[in-house]
Amino acid sequence: MVKHVILWTLKNEYSKEEKEAIKAEIKAGLEGLAGQIPGLLEIHVNINGLESSNADLMLDSTFTDEAALKGYSVHPAHVAVANGKVRPHTAIRSCLDFTL
């Protein structure tokens, strides 16, 4: 199995209220991919970081293998969420993929 973990920081131009709404939309969009993409076993988005955090939200996903992760990255449903809900609002993205 392969883990795919991403941390995002939203753009500074948003108010606290706007950030909360954006995080909720990203969470709904990404978690809504469950059951739609071959090889995607689990997908969770955490939007409730502690004050000590320096990122706004985290994606924690699990795939059957590296090929499934590669398929996810280009799957039309994922691309639609990434382009429509995530990329327009994020300033920083950090990713770590690893084998379990």
XYZ file of all heavy atoms in Angstrom:
764
model
N 0.835 -1.180 0.000
C 0.000 0.000 0.000
C 0.885 1.251 0.000
O 2.016 1.211 0.446
C -0.916 0.007 1.215
C -2.056 -0.998 1.123
S -3.340 -0.737 2.359
C -2.446 -1.086 3.847
N 0.301 2.336 -0.485
C 1.013 3.607 -0.591
C 0.199 4.691 0.102
O -1.013 4.783 -0.090
C 1.241 3.975 -2.079
C 1.728 5.397 -2.233
C 2.226 2.997 -2.722
N 0.887 5.513 0.899
C 0.273 6.680 1.530
C 0.630 7.913 0.715
O 1.758 8.041 0.221
C 0.782 6.873 2.963
C 0.301 5.852 3.951
C -1.176 5.921 4.205
C -1.514 6.899 5.300
N -2.954 6.884 5.626
N -0.337 8.815 0.622
C -0.178 10.093 -0.084
C -0.672 11.161 0.886
O -1.863 11.221 1.189
C -1.008 10.051 -1.364
C -1.068 11.319 -2.146
N 0.041 11.910 -2.713
C -2.128 12.112 -2.489
C -0.341 12.995 -3.368
N -1.644 13.145 -3.236
N 0.257 11.945 1.414
C -0.071 12.955 2.420
C 0.324 14.325 1.880
O 1.445 14.505 1.410
C 0.671 12.674 3.743
C 0.349 13.735 4.774
C 0.314 11.282 4.270
N -0.618 15.260 1.953
C -0.352 16.620 1.482
C -0.738 17.605 2.572
O -1.771 17.445 3.227
C -1.146 16.941 0.202
C -0.744 16.006 -0.923
C -0.930 18.398 -0.204
C -1.492 16.237 -2.211
N 0.093 18.613 2.752
C -0.217 19.752 3.613
C -0.350 20.974 2.719
O 0.491 21.200 1.839
C 0.893 19.997 4.628
C 1.119 18.908 5.669
C 2.380 19.210 6.459
C -0.076 18.831 6.596
N -1.406 21.756 2.938
C -1.609 22.989 2.194
C -1.688 24.168 3.137
O -2.249 24.070 4.228
C -2.924 22.972 1.419
C -2.982 22.094 0.235
C -2.398 22.280 -0.983
C -3.732 20.881 0.122
N -2.722 21.261 -1.842
C -3.553 20.383 -1.173
C -4.541 20.162 1.002
C -4.148 19.217 -1.625
C -5.132 19.003 0.563
C -4.927 18.535 -0.737
N -1.199 25.293 2.671
C -1.401 26.571 3.327
C -2.206 27.432 2.360
O -1.838 27.557 1.179
C -0.060 27.252 3.647
O 0.698 26.376 4.492
C -0.271 28.576 4.348
N -3.298 27.983 2.853
C -4.139 28.830 2.019
C -3.503 30.198 1.828
O -2.647 30.618 2.614
C -5.525 28.976 2.658
C -6.323 27.682 2.829
C -7.637 27.958 3.541
C -6.573 27.000 1.499
N -3.939 30.889 0.804
C -3.430 32.230 0.516
C -3.761 33.171 1.671
O -4.830 33.072 2.285
C -4.036 32.750 -0.773
C -3.578 31.981 -1.998
C -4.252 32.496 -3.255
C -3.787 31.700 -4.467
N -4.493 32.139 -5.696
N -2.870 34.086 1.959
C -3.039 35.035 3.065
C -4.157 36.043 2.844
O -4.618 36.673 3.791
C -1.736 35.797 3.322
C -0.705 34.931 4.011
O -1.038 34.021 4.755
N 0.550 35.213 3.748
N -4.599 36.189 1.621
C -5.595 37.215 1.300
C -6.987 36.914 1.872
O -7.848 37.785 1.883
C -5.705 37.385 -0.211
C -6.214 36.139 -0.914
C -5.917 36.131 -2.409
O -4.735 36.327 -2.771
O -6.854 35.938 -3.190
N -7.197 35.696 2.358
C -8.518 35.302 2.848
C -8.689 35.622 4.327
O -7.764 35.468 5.122
C -8.755 33.806 2.628
C -8.731 33.406 1.178
C -7.763 32.530 0.698
C -9.675 33.898 0.287
C -7.739 32.161 -0.644
C -9.657 33.530 -1.051
C -8.696 32.668 -1.502
O -8.667 32.305 -2.824
N -9.910 36.005 4.693
C -10.246 36.207 6.106
C -10.381 34.844 6.776
O -10.444 33.808 6.096
C -11.572 36.957 6.236
O -12.650 36.128 5.796
N -10.448 34.837 8.090
C -10.615 33.584 8.830
C -11.896 32.877 8.394
O -11.895 31.656 8.192
C -10.639 33.861 10.336
C -10.738 32.610 11.162
C -10.661 32.882 12.645
C -10.745 31.556 13.392
N -10.600 31.721 14.824
N -12.974 33.623 8.214
C -14.252 33.040 7.797
C -14.161 32.448 6.395
O -14.687 31.362 6.130
C -15.363 34.091 7.859
C -15.691 34.577 9.249
C -14.675 35.587 9.815
O -13.917 36.226 9.036
O -14.624 35.710 11.050
N -13.494 33.170 5.495
C -13.314 32.660 4.136
C -12.480 31.389 4.145
O -12.790 30.424 3.434
C -12.646 33.714 3.256
C -13.547 34.880 2.914
C -12.820 36.015 2.219
O -11.663 36.335 2.623
O -13.391 36.593 1.286
N -11.423 31.363 4.957
C -10.581 30.162 5.043
C -11.381 28.970 5.548
O -11.222 27.855 5.041
C -9.376 30.417 5.951
C -8.295 31.248 5.291
C -7.067 31.375 6.171
C -5.959 32.114 5.458
N -4.711 32.155 6.216
N -12.228 29.179 6.531
C -13.040 28.070 7.050
C -13.955 27.513 5.966
O -14.100 26.299 5.821
C -13.849 28.517 8.272
C -13.002 28.828 9.493
C -12.081 27.694 9.927
O -12.536 26.529 9.961
O -10.907 27.957 10.222
N -14.571 28.392 5.171
C -15.448 27.952 4.094
C -14.663 27.215 3.009
O -15.116 26.174 2.503
C -16.188 29.148 3.498
N -13.503 27.731 2.655
C -12.662 27.099 1.634
C -12.208 25.721 2.107
O -12.256 24.744 1.343
C -11.454 27.990 1.284
C -11.934 29.241 0.538
C -10.411 27.229 0.470
C -10.896 30.345 0.452
N -11.776 25.613 3.350
C -11.337 24.318 3.882
C -12.476 23.312 3.840
O -12.269 22.142 3.475
C -10.795 24.467 5.305
C -9.476 25.219 5.362
C -8.805 25.172 6.717
C -9.579 25.755 7.843
N -8.836 25.759 9.120
N -13.681 23.727 4.191
C -14.835 22.822 4.165
C -15.133 22.357 2.737
O -15.449 21.177 2.508
C -16.052 23.509 4.776
N -15.011 23.262 1.761
C -15.232 22.893 0.360
C -14.176 21.910 -0.137
O -14.491 20.963 -0.854
C -15.225 24.140 -0.524
C -16.473 24.970 -0.426
C -16.462 26.120 -1.430
O -15.807 26.002 -2.493
O -17.119 27.132 -1.143
N -12.932 22.154 0.224
C -11.859 21.237 -0.175
C -12.088 19.864 0.439
O -11.976 18.840 -0.241
C -10.476 21.809 0.215
C -10.158 23.047 -0.643
C -9.387 20.751 0.075
C -8.903 23.799 -0.220
N -12.415 19.836 1.718
C -12.675 18.570 2.406
C -13.798 17.798 1.712
O -13.655 16.618 1.397
C -13.019 18.826 3.865
C -13.347 17.574 4.668
C -13.651 17.936 6.124
C -14.053 16.741 6.967
N -12.994 15.754 7.165
N -14.917 18.466 1.454
C -16.055 17.810 0.811
C -15.685 17.308 -0.583
O -16.047 16.183 -0.968
C -17.232 18.772 0.736
N -14.960 18.127 -1.331
C -14.579 17.730 -2.684
C -13.661 16.535 -2.719
O -13.896 15.571 -3.457
N -12.615 16.561 -1.908
C -11.651 15.455 -1.915
C -12.241 14.186 -1.304
O -12.084 13.098 -1.863
C -10.368 15.863 -1.198
C -9.500 16.866 -1.952
C -8.362 17.368 -1.062
C -8.946 16.260 -3.235
N -12.914 14.309 -0.174
C -13.502 13.108 0.435
C -14.625 12.538 -0.431
O -14.917 11.348 -0.366
C -13.966 13.409 1.856
C -12.785 13.619 2.796
C -13.164 13.871 4.244
O -14.379 14.034 4.547
O -12.241 13.904 5.085
N -15.214 13.375 -1.262
C -16.233 12.914 -2.197
C -15.685 12.021 -3.300
O -16.447 11.384 -4.023
N -14.367 11.952 -3.416
C -13.742 11.075 -4.417
C -13.740 9.613 -3.990
O -13.490 8.728 -4.810
C -12.304 11.532 -4.694
C -12.151 12.923 -5.303
C -10.681 13.300 -5.378
C -12.818 13.002 -6.668
N -14.031 9.345 -2.726
C -14.059 7.959 -2.228
C -15.035 7.139 -3.072
O -16.154 7.565 -3.341
C -14.467 7.940 -0.762
N -14.568 5.980 -3.509
C -15.402 5.085 -4.306
C -15.438 5.413 -5.793
O -16.044 4.678 -6.565
N -14.802 6.494 -6.204
C -14.826 6.895 -7.614
C -13.549 6.561 -8.373
O -13.559 6.561 -9.603
C -15.040 8.413 -7.722
C -16.366 8.907 -7.236
C -16.534 10.374 -7.591
O -16.271 10.798 -8.710
N -16.967 11.161 -6.623
N -12.459 6.323 -7.646
C -11.157 6.186 -8.301
C -10.568 4.809 -7.986
O -10.403 4.458 -6.815
C -10.212 7.316 -7.856
C -10.832 8.667 -8.253
C -8.825 7.137 -8.456
C -10.069 9.871 -7.818
N -10.260 4.034 -9.015
C -9.692 2.705 -8.789
C -8.416 2.772 -7.955
O -7.545 3.604 -8.187
C -9.383 2.203 -10.203
C -10.291 2.981 -11.095
C -10.428 4.326 -10.441
N -8.324 1.892 -6.956
C -7.129 1.806 -6.125
C -7.072 2.767 -4.968
O -6.165 2.693 -4.150
N -8.027 3.700 -4.868
C -8.094 4.621 -3.734
C -8.832 3.917 -2.598
O -10.022 3.655 -2.695
C -8.824 5.909 -4.120
C -9.111 6.917 -2.997
C -7.824 7.390 -2.330
C -9.908 8.091 -3.538
N -8.100 3.590 -1.540
C -8.661 2.823 -0.424
C -9.276 3.714 0.645
O -10.338 3.403 1.182
C -7.588 1.933 0.201
C -6.929 0.921 -0.740
C -5.804 0.190 -0.011
C -7.961 -0.056 -1.279
N -8.602 4.810 0.980
C -9.070 5.734 2.016
C -8.667 7.143 1.639
O -7.591 7.352 1.071
C -8.443 5.420 3.376
C -8.861 4.110 3.987
C -8.238 3.910 5.360
O -7.759 4.889 5.965
O -8.220 2.769 5.825
N -9.530 8.109 2.018
C -9.193 9.515 1.801
C -9.847 10.335 2.906
O -11.041 10.239 3.136
C -9.602 9.986 0.383
C -9.067 11.399 0.101
C -11.081 9.839 0.132
C -9.050 11.777 -1.361
N -9.016 11.098 3.597
C -9.475 11.934 4.706
C -8.776 13.286 4.613
O -7.587 13.363 4.301
C -9.126 11.299 6.057
C -9.641 9.911 6.202
N -10.960 9.628 6.449
C -9.015 8.715 6.115
C -11.125 8.321 6.512
N -9.960 7.742 6.306
N -9.531 14.343 4.914
C -8.972 15.683 4.940
C -9.202 16.255 6.332
O -10.338 16.322 6.798
C -9.605 16.591 3.868
C -9.046 18.003 3.965
C -9.363 16.016 2.478
N -8.114 16.649 6.990
C -8.212 17.246 8.324
C -8.129 18.754 8.173
O -7.162 19.282 7.625
C -7.097 16.739 9.229
C -7.311 17.158 10.664
O -7.632 18.314 10.936
N -7.129 16.235 11.577
N -9.169 19.440 8.678
C -9.220 20.902 8.573
C -9.212 21.576 9.944
O -9.399 22.781 10.041
C -10.461 21.359 7.766
C -11.765 20.903 8.419
C -10.377 20.867 6.329
C -13.022 21.461 7.772
N -8.991 20.797 10.987
C -9.057 21.324 12.350
C -7.711 21.273 13.056
O -7.574 20.689 14.122
C -10.115 20.556 13.148
C -11.488 20.707 12.547
O -11.915 21.805 12.234
N -12.179 19.596 12.362
N -6.714 21.905 12.458
C -5.389 21.924 13.066
C -5.354 22.766 14.331
O -6.166 23.684 14.520
N -4.436 22.443 15.191
C -4.235 23.225 16.405
C -3.566 24.554 16.068
O -2.979 24.717 14.995
C -3.358 22.439 17.386
C -3.911 21.088 17.866
C -2.885 20.387 18.739
C -5.225 21.270 18.592
N -3.621 25.504 16.996
C -3.008 26.818 16.796
C -1.506 26.720 16.506
O -0.934 27.592 15.862
C -3.235 27.711 18.023
C -4.655 28.198 18.150
C -5.069 29.152 17.042
O -4.238 29.988 16.618
O -6.225 29.061 16.596
N -0.861 25.663 16.981
C 0.577 25.486 16.768
C 0.925 25.069 15.340
O 2.092 25.036 14.972
C 1.114 24.448 17.761
O 0.418 23.216 17.599
N -0.079 24.774 14.516
C 0.150 24.321 13.136
C 0.610 25.465 12.249
O 0.239 26.616 12.462
C -1.150 23.739 12.562
O -1.608 22.661 13.331
N 1.388 25.123 11.222
C 1.757 26.135 10.236
C 1.247 25.768 8.844
O 1.701 26.307 7.844
C 3.270 26.414 10.241
C 4.097 25.219 9.856
O 3.570 24.170 9.517
N 5.398 25.373 9.899
N 0.276 24.866 8.796
C -0.457 24.538 7.566
C -1.940 24.611 7.910
O -2.324 24.502 9.079
C -0.083 23.148 7.067
N -2.760 24.798 6.887
C -4.197 24.966 7.114
C -4.995 23.669 7.021
O -6.034 23.542 7.665
C -4.766 25.977 6.123
C -4.252 27.379 6.388
O -4.418 27.858 7.522
O -3.676 27.992 5.462
N -4.551 22.734 6.196
C -5.273 21.476 6.061
C -4.352 20.385 5.553
O -3.288 20.654 5.007
C -6.505 21.617 5.177
C -6.352 22.023 3.717
C -7.613 21.632 2.956
C -6.180 23.512 3.598
N -4.796 19.133 5.777
C -3.983 17.977 5.423
C -4.839 16.921 4.742
O -5.922 16.582 5.220
C -3.360 17.348 6.664
C -2.522 16.124 6.354
S -1.987 15.215 7.828
C -3.461 14.324 8.235
N -4.336 16.399 3.642
C -4.917 15.243 2.972
C -4.143 14.012 3.403
O -2.907 14.007 3.355
C -4.823 15.398 1.447
C -5.141 14.144 0.629
C -6.614 13.804 0.718
C -4.710 14.332 -0.812
N -4.862 12.980 3.815
C -4.260 11.701 4.185
C -5.004 10.636 3.384
O -6.179 10.376 3.637
C -4.411 11.464 5.687
C -3.799 10.155 6.148
O -3.146 9.458 5.341
O -3.982 9.817 7.328
N -4.322 10.054 2.398
C -4.973 9.075 1.536
C -4.115 7.820 1.402
O -2.902 7.867 1.550
C -5.275 9.680 0.163
O -4.125 10.266 -0.397
N -4.798 6.719 1.123
C -4.133 5.419 0.999
C -4.553 4.776 -0.316
O -5.746 4.762 -0.653
C -4.522 4.495 2.172
O -4.274 5.169 3.407
C -3.718 3.200 2.131
N -3.570 4.232 -1.030
C -3.795 3.594 -2.325
C -3.263 2.170 -2.297
O -2.375 1.845 -1.504
C -3.083 4.386 -3.431
C -3.656 5.755 -3.621
C -3.230 6.809 -2.830
C -4.638 5.982 -4.556
C -3.779 8.074 -2.976
C -5.191 7.245 -4.714
C -4.759 8.286 -3.921
N -3.772 1.356 -3.194
C -3.318 -0.035 -3.258
C -1.841 -0.133 -3.605
O -1.129 -0.984 -3.082
C -4.128 -0.831 -4.302
O -4.088 -0.138 -5.553
C -5.570 -1.020 -3.853
N -1.389 0.757 -4.497
C 0.001 0.727 -4.940
C 0.343 2.045 -5.641
O -0.512 2.920 -5.787
C 0.265 -0.466 -5.865
C -0.689 -0.546 -7.049
O -1.220 0.501 -7.485
O -0.911 -1.669 -7.544
N 1.586 2.166 -6.073
C 2.041 3.403 -6.702
C 1.321 3.662 -8.024
O 1.054 4.812 -8.384
C 3.555 3.359 -6.916
C 4.139 4.694 -7.292
C 5.666 4.701 -7.309
O 6.293 3.697 -6.948
O 6.213 5.748 -7.690
N 0.982 2.612 -8.744
C 0.257 2.788 -10.008
C -1.117 3.414 -9.761
O -1.568 4.260 -10.532
C 0.122 1.446 -10.725
N -1.772 3.005 -8.679
C -3.080 3.589 -8.342
C -2.939 5.069 -7.998
O -3.782 5.891 -8.378
C -3.713 2.820 -7.187
N -1.867 5.431 -7.287
C -1.618 6.838 -6.965
C -1.407 7.648 -8.246
O -1.952 8.748 -8.401
C -0.413 6.967 -6.040
C 0.088 8.382 -5.753
C -1.011 9.251 -5.137
C 1.313 8.333 -4.849
N -0.653 7.096 -9.181
C -0.426 7.791 -10.450
C -1.731 7.953 -11.225
O -1.986 8.996 -11.827
C 0.613 7.043 -11.285
C 2.016 7.173 -10.736
C 3.024 6.389 -11.547
C 4.402 6.502 -10.925
N 5.414 5.716 -11.630
N -2.580 6.924 -11.175
C -3.880 7.007 -11.840
C -4.770 8.067 -11.218
O -5.484 8.793 -11.912
N -4.727 8.178 -9.896
C -5.492 9.188 -9.154
C -5.094 10.589 -9.588
O -5.945 11.464 -9.763
C -5.228 8.974 -7.664
C -5.599 10.101 -6.741
C -6.903 10.263 -6.287
C -4.629 10.991 -6.272
C -7.233 11.288 -5.398
C -4.950 12.015 -5.392
C -6.248 12.157 -4.963
O -6.576 13.169 -4.085
N -3.798 10.804 -9.782
C -3.307 12.145 -10.094
C -3.858 12.674 -11.412
O -3.974 13.889 -11.585
C -1.779 12.175 -10.092
O -1.262 11.472 -11.197
N -4.221 11.787 -12.334
C -4.736 12.221 -13.632
C -6.215 11.890 -13.832
O -6.781 12.202 -14.882
C -3.897 11.627 -14.789
C -2.460 12.137 -14.726
C -3.933 10.100 -14.776
N -6.834 11.273 -12.837
C -8.250 10.908 -12.965
C -9.091 12.186 -13.097
O -8.902 13.141 -12.330
C -8.684 10.098 -11.741
C -10.016 9.472 -11.898
N -11.183 10.179 -11.741
C -10.366 8.195 -12.199
C -12.208 9.369 -11.934
N -11.730 8.169 -12.224
N -10.022 12.236 -14.040
C -10.810 13.456 -14.264
C -11.551 13.969 -13.022
O -11.632 15.193 -12.831
C -11.802 13.044 -15.357
C -11.153 11.894 -16.048
C -10.330 11.190 -15.009
N -12.042 13.095 -12.178
C -12.753 13.540 -10.967
C -11.792 14.246 -10.013
O -12.124 15.281 -9.429
C -13.432 12.354 -10.283
N -10.579 13.701 -9.862
C -9.578 14.328 -9.001
C -9.104 15.650 -9.599
O -8.981 16.658 -8.899
C -8.383 13.397 -8.782
C -7.227 14.083 -8.136
N -6.124 14.486 -8.854
C -7.018 14.479 -6.855
C -5.273 15.090 -8.035
N -5.789 15.098 -6.818
N -8.841 15.666 -10.888
C -8.370 16.882 -11.549
C -9.410 18.000 -11.400
O -9.058 19.157 -11.149
C -8.035 16.603 -13.032
C -7.755 17.889 -13.788
C -6.851 15.646 -13.131
N -10.687 17.667 -11.501
C -11.748 18.670 -11.351
C -11.736 19.282 -9.956
O -11.854 20.501 -9.805
C -13.110 18.044 -11.654
N -11.571 18.456 -8.928
C -11.519 18.971 -7.555
C -10.239 19.789 -7.351
O -10.281 20.886 -6.787
C -11.608 17.826 -6.523
C -11.365 18.343 -5.118
C -12.960 17.130 -6.611
N -9.118 19.262 -7.812
C -7.845 19.962 -7.636
C -7.865 21.331 -8.316
O -7.458 22.330 -7.720
C -6.699 19.110 -8.181
N -8.352 21.379 -9.547
C -8.362 22.643 -10.296
C -9.464 23.591 -9.849
O -9.308 24.804 -9.939
C -8.494 22.372 -11.790
C -7.233 21.796 -12.391
O -6.148 21.899 -11.822
N -7.367 21.156 -13.531
N -10.573 23.043 -9.366
C -11.704 23.877 -9.012
C -11.772 24.313 -7.566
O -12.260 25.400 -7.261
N -11.275 23.472 -6.646
C -11.435 23.752 -5.215
C -10.126 23.949 -4.456
O -10.116 24.601 -3.427
C -12.235 22.634 -4.551
C -13.655 22.509 -5.060
C -14.416 21.434 -4.323
C -15.804 21.233 -4.863
N -16.701 22.336 -4.609
N -9.044 23.360 -4.950
C -7.789 23.392 -4.187
C -6.818 24.435 -4.733
O -6.476 25.398 -4.035
C -7.120 21.992 -4.161
C -5.829 22.036 -3.363
C -8.074 20.944 -3.592
N -6.357 24.254 -5.933
C -5.282 25.104 -6.487
C -5.588 26.599 -6.487
O -4.682 27.390 -6.212
C -4.916 24.624 -7.886
C -4.213 23.279 -7.854
C -3.743 22.830 -9.227
N -3.123 21.521 -9.113
C -3.554 20.438 -9.734
N -4.591 20.497 -10.556
N -2.945 19.288 -9.569
N -6.822 27.016 -6.754
C -7.074 28.467 -6.764
C -6.879 29.144 -5.402
O -6.713 30.356 -5.339
C -8.539 28.575 -7.196
C -8.841 27.295 -7.882
C -7.993 26.268 -7.199
N -6.909 28.359 -4.327
C -6.907 28.932 -2.981
C -5.631 28.683 -2.175
O -5.481 29.215 -1.093
C -8.095 28.388 -2.192
C -9.396 28.605 -2.881
N -9.948 29.859 -3.049
C -10.247 27.742 -3.475
C -11.091 29.748 -3.702
N -11.294 28.482 -3.973
N -4.728 27.862 -2.696
C -3.558 27.477 -1.901
C -2.307 28.225 -2.336
O -2.082 28.474 -3.519
C -3.316 25.958 -1.978
O -3.234 25.549 -3.336
C -4.441 25.202 -1.292
N -1.494 28.556 -1.340
C -0.230 29.242 -1.588
C 0.938 28.278 -1.530
O 1.912 28.414 -2.270
C -0.030 30.351 -0.559
N 0.852 27.284 -0.637
C 1.953 26.339 -0.420
C 1.390 24.927 -0.382
O 0.357 24.666 0.246
C 2.696 26.634 0.900
C 3.285 28.040 0.884
C 3.789 25.586 1.146
C 3.855 28.479 2.225
N 2.089 24.003 -1.048
C 1.726 22.580 -1.049
C 2.980 21.777 -0.760
O 4.004 21.955 -1.421
C 1.167 22.178 -2.408
C 0.859 20.690 -2.544
C 0.496 20.371 -4.000
N 0.157 18.989 -4.220
C 1.017 18.012 -4.489
N 2.325 18.280 -4.562
N 0.620 16.774 -4.682
N 2.880 20.897 0.241
C 3.968 19.963 0.532
C 3.392 18.561 0.481
O 2.298 18.309 0.981
C 4.557 20.218 1.916
O 5.131 21.498 1.974
N 4.134 17.635 -0.113
C 3.629 16.280 -0.324
C 4.671 15.263 0.135
O 5.878 15.458 -0.072
C 3.327 16.079 -1.812
S 2.830 14.412 -2.254
N 4.187 14.181 0.729
C 5.035 13.036 1.039
C 4.274 11.778 0.660
O 3.175 11.528 1.146
C 5.385 12.999 2.536
C 6.264 11.812 2.958
C 7.648 11.922 2.325
C 6.370 11.726 4.458
N 4.847 11.009 -0.259
C 4.309 9.709 -0.669
C 5.265 8.642 -0.149
O 6.485 8.794 -0.256
C 4.214 9.609 -2.189
C 3.287 10.642 -2.794
O 2.275 10.994 -2.146
O 3.554 11.089 -3.925
N 4.703 7.572 0.408
C 5.573 6.503 0.918
C 4.842 5.185 0.924
O 3.609 5.116 0.909
C 6.098 6.846 2.315
C 5.024 7.115 3.348
C 4.582 6.111 4.204
C 4.472 8.384 3.468
C 3.606 6.367 5.149
C 3.502 8.648 4.422
C 3.056 7.625 5.259
N 5.611 4.121 0.948
C 5.082 2.768 0.975
C 4.893 2.314 2.413
O 5.754 2.555 3.268
C 6.055 1.808 0.259
O 6.247 2.272 -1.075
C 5.506 0.394 0.234
N 3.759 1.690 2.670
C 3.480 1.144 3.998
C 4.080 -0.238 4.141
O 4.158 -0.990 3.213
C 1.974 1.063 4.256
C 1.270 2.389 4.375
C -0.231 2.173 4.516
C 1.775 3.136 5.585
